[in-house]
Amino acid sequence: MNEKILVFSTQKYAYFQEAFIKEKTIFEKGELEYKLFPDGESYYRILSKLQSKEAVLIGGTVSEQDTMELYDLASGLVDEGIKKLTIIIPFYGYSTMERTVKSGEIVTAKTRARLLSAIPQSYSGNRIIMVDLHVSGLQYYFERGVHTVHLYAKPLILEAARKLGGKDFVLASADAGRAKWVESLAFDLGVDAAFVYKRRSSGSDTEITGINADVRGKKVVLYDDMIRTGGSLVNAAKVYKEAGAEQIFVVATHGVFPNGSVKRLEESKLIERIIVTDTHPNARAAAQKTDFIEISSISDLLIQAVTSF
């Protein structure tokens, strides 16, 4: 690869830009100017020369403002003549509304995919890389010839589970919905898999009625793709503990951790430690405040994905 790839990022994902440009033989830092007007309007200016170059833009849809920043920067890169554009979205944040349940509901996962599909095409096309989507079908919401790649953080999850559980543990799920994925991971790890049975007690609440495996006297590593409020994890951990689990740990890809969730998880006294990747900036912020949260960086996996296609 003769010419270096320019790497840009949204403001909250600057840490990935720094990780990329450490690979100096492949990547070069893309220069941007940011400014906020008094009325809150954003100003962006691309300072790097882009003509006939390849670029990577890293940014997660962690809020509506961040989604629009990603859209604006990507559009600007194409308008300035970039040859090829790869957009990395470590966290695609619209998985809660990925389908309709009631008549008239709007599938924001789809409408935001349409928005990002409207980014102008670079000369060699646009590619979007996303990590551990909550629902794999989300990648097919993108339109207009955008090439999407669903990247799995499986190597990091396996490594984190081994680190926490050692050689003898049970890999568990907080609900039956992730049972097949947990079974696959457990097979690769050479350990037993477990999941809990749930029953819906009302329109919005569920109760755990049992578990499918014997965890007595064993370490349990709970896996989930995403941690938000942590309520499901605490409830599952309580059931596994009551079933005789010796210690309970958690591994996850996306640590969303909205206000108070880390405190809730830690103060439950049920979970020893949590390892998450740095796909969400909240996970990095949480890890800087407490040893309860540990980060396994996904940067090498992202770099490999960019350079291998």
Side-chain angles (χ1 to χ4, degrees):
M1 197 176 295
N2 296 325
E3 194 161 17
K4 293 182 180 180
I5 301 172
L6 288 167
V7 182
F8 298 87
S9 74
T10 57
Q11 294 172 78
K12 288 183 182 175
Y13 280 84
Y15 57 91
F16 276 132
Q17 183 189 40
E18 295 303 318
F20 267 67
I21 61 175
K22 286 181 181 177
E23 303 287 337
K24 297 184 184 297
T25 58
I26 305 171
F27 301 107
E28 177 184 349
K29 186 175 182 179
E31 298 293 342
L32 293 170
E33 181 184 350
Y34 295 98
K35 189 165 59 176
L36 201 62
F37 291 109
D39 62 357
E41 185 179 341
S42 298
Y43 170 90
Y44 309 107
R45 182 187 175 201
I46 300 167
L47 303 177
S48 301
K49 299 298 182 184
L50 305 181
Q51 285 291 333
S52 301
K53 289 189 176 182
E54 183 177 346
V56 171
L57 171 62
I58 309 166
T61 59
V62 296
S63 71
E64 298 292 10
Q65 182 178 348
D66 291 283
T67 299
M68 291 311 303
E69 183 180 353
L70 182 66
Y71 176 84
D72 288 339
L73 292 178
S75 298
L77 289 170
V78 176
D79 289 344
E80 288 297 306
I82 208 73
K83 178 177 68 176
K84 182 179 180 181
L85 177 62
T86 298
I87 301 170
I88 299 177
I89 305 177
F91 176 75
Y92 188 74
Y94 298 100
S95 57
T96 304
M97 284 306 302
E98 46 82 20
R99 60 189 173 89
T100 60
V101 176
K102 299 176 183 177
S103 175
E105 289 182 334
I106 296 171
V107 183
T108 49
K110 193 169 189 175
T111 58
R112 297 306 180 274
R114 283 177 178 159
L115 174 70
L116 297 174
S117 298
I119 294 167
Q121 290 282 318
S122 60
Y123 296 134
S124 298
N126 296 349
R127 176 178 58 176
I128 295 180
I129 298 174
M130 294 170 287
V131 181
D132 277 8
L133 291 168
H134 189 61
V135 178
S136 59
L138 292 178
Q139 69 185 106
Y140 302 108
Y141 284 164
F142 290 80
E143 304 169 349
R144 304 186 185 186
V146 175
H147 177 52
T148 56
V149 177
H150 188 182
L151 184 66
Y152 293 95
K154 187 175 183 177
L156 296 180
I157 296 300
L158 295 177
E159 182 183 355
R162 289 192 186 100
K163 181 176 181 179
L164 293 173
K167 294 182 179 179
D168 184 21
F169 65 95
V170 175
L171 188 70
S173 172
D175 59 61
R178 292 276 153 189
K180 287 186 177 180
W181 186 233
V182 166
E183 284 180 350
S184 173
L185 292 170
F187 178 81
D188 290 337
L189 290 163
V191 300
D192 292 332
F195 59 88
V196 297
Y197 297 104
K198 284 184 177 180
R199 179 176 64 194
R200 186 163 292 281
S201 55
S202 69
S204 59
D205 298 319
T206 59
E207 58 179 314
I208 296 173
T209 59
I211 60 176
N212 75 320
D214 183 13
V215 297
R216 203 175 301 114
K218 295 184 178 181
K219 291 181 181 179
V220 171
V221 177
L222 273 167
Y223 164 77
D224 209 343
D225 66 316
M226 176 169 53
I227 304 174
R228 285 184 284 196
T229 63
S232 294
L233 284 175
V234 169
N235 290 336
K238 184 178 180 181
V239 171
Y240 284 118
K241 201 75 172 179
E242 289 173 349
E246 181 183 325
Q247 290 179 302
I248 297 171
F249 303 90
V250 173
V251 293
T253 304
H254 309 296
V256 181
F257 299 133
N259 292 336
S261 59
V262 173
K263 184 179 180 181
R264 185 182 305 113
L265 286 161
E266 192 167 7
E267 291 184 349
S268 73
K269 303 298 183 183
L270 295 166
I271 298 166
E272 305 286 333
R273 194 174 183 83
I274 296 174
I275 296 181
V276 292
T277 76
D278 50 359
T279 57
H280 198 295
N282 283 358
R284 282 172 52 89
Q288 290 169 359
K289 295 176 182 177
T290 173
D291 292 336
F292 179 63
I293 305 294
E294 182 179 337
I295 293 296
S296 176
S297 182
I298 201 170
S299 58
D300 287 345
L301 205 60
L302 296 179
I303 290 169
Q304 184 181 356
V306 171
T307 56
S308 63
F309 288 109

